[in-house]
């Protein structure tokens, strides 16, 4: 299985596999997908073990907001005081951390706002179950629950996926990290590609610790530093290196290039936007 973060990247990966192997059927044996597409394939086959029908519906953000607003209305929560987008974001982050409504409620004890969000989360899950629907966060979280609670399903995919590759590993959240750990724990044949200096999605739940602690999780892992840069001039790289080396908790590396040295950097400070 080869997992990446965009449909475009996954499509290019499949095209390269077909070109390299010269055999479309052989290339299709590799699951080259995004996390969501891979998990969706697993859920369609086994979601009945979680009490859902295989023909479940996937709700987008607008559908999700509609359900959240209905739940808030029943709980008599004013959208002016409980912004639906904020509520949706908190529930989404909870699912990234694999927190069930009960766990979220326990964690929210003593915080009035979060306690009310916990109530919304609880009733939202009930409404989604009744509609036989999953949101995008559920696709990942439900897959983790499926693998954790059904050893035979986990073993099936551990044997099917003899090698696990993950691109842009610095962008993985906790739930995605667990999926990678579960799928690879039987054989330990896992390869990840990433750059801790490009970890900019913490606001979406990405955990830089996933890449920083990779060698602790996989003690026998070999690390290959891809330090040659083909895109930038050396002036740009020197400036970037000088900034990035001040980061705490990082994988040391020094980017270099065969490109021209390039023009000097110009610093400009504007008086307004």
């Amino acid at each position: 299985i080869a997992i990446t973060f965009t449909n475009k990247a996954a499509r290019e990966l499949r095209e390269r596999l077909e070109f390299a192997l010269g055999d479309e059927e052989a290339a299709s044996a590799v699951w080259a997908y995004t996390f969501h597409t891979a998990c969706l394939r697993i859920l369609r086959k086994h979601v009945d073990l979680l009490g859902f029908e295989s023909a479940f519906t996937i709700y987008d953000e607008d559908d999700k907001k509609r359900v959240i607003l209905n739940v808030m209305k029943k709980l008599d929560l004013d959208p002016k005081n409980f912004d639906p987008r904020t509520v949706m974001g908190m529930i989404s982050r909870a699912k990234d951390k694999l927190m069930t409504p009960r766990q979220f409620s326990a964690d929210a004890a003593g915080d009035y706002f979060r306690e009310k969000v916990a109530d919304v989360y609880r009733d939202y899950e009930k409404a989604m179950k009744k509609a036989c629907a999953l949101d995008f966060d559920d696709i990942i979280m439900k897959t983790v629950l499926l693998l954790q609670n059904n050893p035979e399903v986990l073993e099936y995919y551990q044997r099917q996926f003899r090698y696990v590759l993950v691109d842009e590993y610095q962008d993985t959240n906790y739930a995605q990290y667990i999926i990678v750990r579960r799928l690879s724990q039987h054989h330990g044949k896992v390869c990840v590609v990433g750059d801790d200096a490009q970890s900019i999605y913490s606001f979406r739940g990405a955990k830089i610790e996933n890449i920083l602690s990779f060698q602790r999780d996989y003690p026998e892992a070999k690390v290959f530093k891809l330090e040659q840069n083909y895109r930038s001039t050396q002036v740009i790289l020197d400036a970037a290196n000088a900034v990035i080396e001040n980061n705490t908790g990082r994988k040391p590396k020094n980017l270099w290039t065969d490109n021209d040295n390039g023009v000097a950097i110009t610093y400009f400070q504007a008086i307004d936007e």
Side-chain angles (χ1 to χ4, degrees):
I1 184 169
I3 305 174
T4 186
F5 272 83
T6 67
N7 290 318
K8 180 175 182 288
R11 185 171 59 253
E12 290 177 351
L13 189 54
R14 288 194 294 273
E15 290 172 353
R16 291 181 185 186
L17 279 167
E18 290 179 16
F19 178 78
L21 296 173
D23 186 337
E24 185 176 345
E25 185 176 343
S28 65
V30 178
W31 281 31
Y33 298 124
T34 63
F35 269 104
H36 285 88
T37 302
C39 289
L40 193 55
R41 285 195 63 173
I42 293 173
L43 287 177
R44 289 293 186 195
K45 189 172 183 178
H46 307 282
V47 77
D48 60 298
L49 296 172
L50 297 175
F52 282 80
E53 297 177 10
S54 60
F56 59 82
T57 304
I58 301 172
Y59 278 11
D60 62 19
E61 289 299 292
D62 289 334
D63 297 324
K64 182 176 176 180
K65 185 177 180 180
R66 175 174 48 79
V67 178
I68 290 287
L69 286 171
N70 287 336
V71 169
M72 289 174 58
K73 185 176 181 180
K74 291 179 181 178
L75 292 173
D76 198 27
L77 296 177
D78 189 345
K80 294 179 181 178
N81 298 323
F82 293 85
D83 176 56
R85 289 288 175 186
T86 300
V87 173
M88 289 168 62
M90 291 176 69
I91 293 174
S92 181
R93 293 292 79 78
K95 290 185 177 183
D96 286 347
K97 298 175 183 176
L98 303 178
M99 296 178 71
T100 64
R102 180 175 294 181
Q103 291 169 328
F104 185 85
S105 180
D107 187 68
D111 184 323
Y112 176 77
F113 189 90
R114 296 184 74 240
E115 285 178 345
K116 292 303 179 184
V117 174
D119 292 339
V120 175
Y121 184 12
R122 178 197 63 218
D123 290 0
Y124 170 72
E125 287 294 278
K126 291 179 180 178
M128 294 290 282
K129 185 75 175 288
K130 186 176 181 180
C132 195
L134 300 180
D135 61 32
F136 288 115
D137 300 310
D138 285 327
I139 293 173
I140 304 296
M141 183 178 182
K142 301 295 187 193
T143 301
V144 174
L145 295 177
L146 175 72
L147 297 177
Q148 286 181 335
N149 298 330
N150 298 275
E152 70 286 353
V153 176
L154 174 61
E155 183 180 359
Y156 173 83
Y157 287 104
Q158 286 176 337
R159 293 184 181 280
Q160 176 170 342
F161 303 135
R162 289 175 291 168
Y163 302 90
V164 178
L165 169 69
V166 185
D167 192 19
E168 303 290 2
Y169 193 65
Q170 77 279 352
D171 293 337
T172 53
N173 60 33
Y174 178 69
Q176 293 162 338
Y177 162 82
I178 292 297
I179 288 176
V180 175
R181 287 284 284 167
R182 289 283 183 270
L183 291 179
S184 62
Q185 69 184 25
H186 177 69
H187 49 66
K189 295 175 181 175
V190 56
C191 173
V192 305
V193 183
D195 182 1
D196 55 291
Q198 295 184 49
S199 181
I200 60 173
Y201 291 115
S202 60
F203 67 94
R204 287 200 323 215
K207 292 181 66 64
I208 192 173
E209 294 83 4
N210 293 352
I211 193 166
L212 293 178
S213 62
F214 186 80
Q215 288 169 276
R216 182 199 66 198
D217 294 334
Y218 304 91
E220 297 181 5
K222 295 180 180 179
V223 178
F224 301 89
K225 295 183 181 182
L226 308 179
E227 296 177 302
Q228 183 174 5
N229 184 288
Y230 302 90
R231 180 181 297 166
S232 305
T233 62
Q234 191 62 51
V235 167
I236 294 292
L237 295 179
D238 288 344
N241 287 332
V243 172
I244 292 170
E245 69 181 10
N246 293 304
N247 289 355
T248 57
R250 60 183 289 267
K251 296 285 187 182
K253 56 186 174 296
N254 188 51
L255 300 182
W256 61 274
T257 184
D258 279 335
N259 294 340
D260 293 337
N261 205 47
V263 298
I265 295 172
T266 299
Y267 174 71
F268 175 75
Q269 185 173 14
I271 59 172
D272 56 27
E273 291 91 349

